[in-house]
Amino acid sequence: MEVVFDLDGVLLDSERRLDWLDRALSDALQAFDIPATADNRARIGPGGLASFERTAREFSVDPETFWTLRNRRYTEEKLGAMASGDIGPFPDVPQLARLDGTHSTSIISNSPQPVVDAFLAEVREDVSFRTGIGRGSSLSDLAHLKPDPEMGNRLRQTADTETFLYVGDS
């Protein structure tokens, strides 16, 4: 059996301090002269990704151009917050090493792949995850966020088992 973890809110304590997210979303909005209000940030934040293209059109902005900047700023700010220690692994993450030898562990996350990779690098001395799958960086990748099965299918193709246990925050 493989134990598959979500990243944000399960392994990475990225939701307690959200100033990095506010900066990223505000920067993206302001780059297009869109007011960086809390409502506008929410519309392009993680909870608004399913309607991102519609939101961009409502803002009279090309969705591809807007997404490219929004995704870049989001990724940069999140990686910066991880590097500075503003956000990091939950204190109990090293306990997952107890699964080594009995169950393999992996990550599937709607966070960008560079964030998943940075997390894996940060915890590699404590926990040996078999793989980490994050979302791609293109606008079309938004169609494949969890619960879409695409990331799970990618994981299944590389696994040595047909049995998975998913640990998420919702």
Side-chain angles (χ1 to χ4, degrees):
M1 175 171 60
E2 182 152 344
V3 184
V4 183
F5 293 90
D6 185 17
L7 182 63
D8 293 294
V10 176
L11 301 174
L12 181 64
D13 188 6
S14 58
E15 299 169 358
R16 184 172 38 95
R17 292 192 56 194
L18 293 174
D19 49 329
W20 65 270
L21 179 60
D22 288 342
R23 278 192 308 274
L25 301 178
S26 292
D27 288 352
L29 290 163
Q30 291 167 349
F32 293 93
D33 297 320
I34 302 165
T37 64
D39 181 57
N40 286 346
R41 285 193 307 270
R43 293 180 71 193
I44 67 165
L49 294 182
S51 58
F52 186 87
E53 288 186 68
R54 182 179 71 236
T55 298
R57 286 190 294 276
E58 289 170 2
F59 287 147
S60 300
V61 177
D62 173 64
E64 288 280 349
T65 304
F66 193 30
W67 173 254
T68 298
L69 179 64
R70 184 266 186 216
N71 184 59
R72 182 172 48 84
R73 291 300 300 132
Y74 177 93
T75 303
E76 290 170 349
E77 286 291 340
K78 195 166 190 178
L79 290 172
M82 291 171 71
S84 70
D86 286 345
I87 62 176
F90 282 104
D92 58 351
V93 166
Q95 295 300 314
L96 297 179
R98 296 169 50 190
L99 295 172
D100 290 350
T102 60
H103 299 86
S104 60
T105 55
S106 295
I107 296 170
I108 293 181
S109 177
N110 285 340
S111 273
Q113 187 66 50
V115 171
V116 175
D117 293 342
F119 177 84
L120 290 171
E122 184 172 345
V123 301
R124 75 172 164 245
E125 292 181 20
D126 295 320
V127 185
S128 47
F129 287 97
R130 184 180 66 77
T131 191
I133 298 174
R135 71 165 163 77
S137 60
S138 71
L139 181 60
S140 63
D141 290 321
L142 294 183
H144 302 291
L145 297 176
K146 296 179 301 171
D148 183 89
E150 191 269 337
M151 285 190 267
N153 290 338
R154 286 176 36 208
L155 180 73
R156 257 188 238 99
Q157 292 172 358
T158 65
D160 293 332
T161 183
E162 290 294 319
T163 306
F164 299 88
L165 173 68
Y166 180 73
V167 180
D169 61 342
S170 61

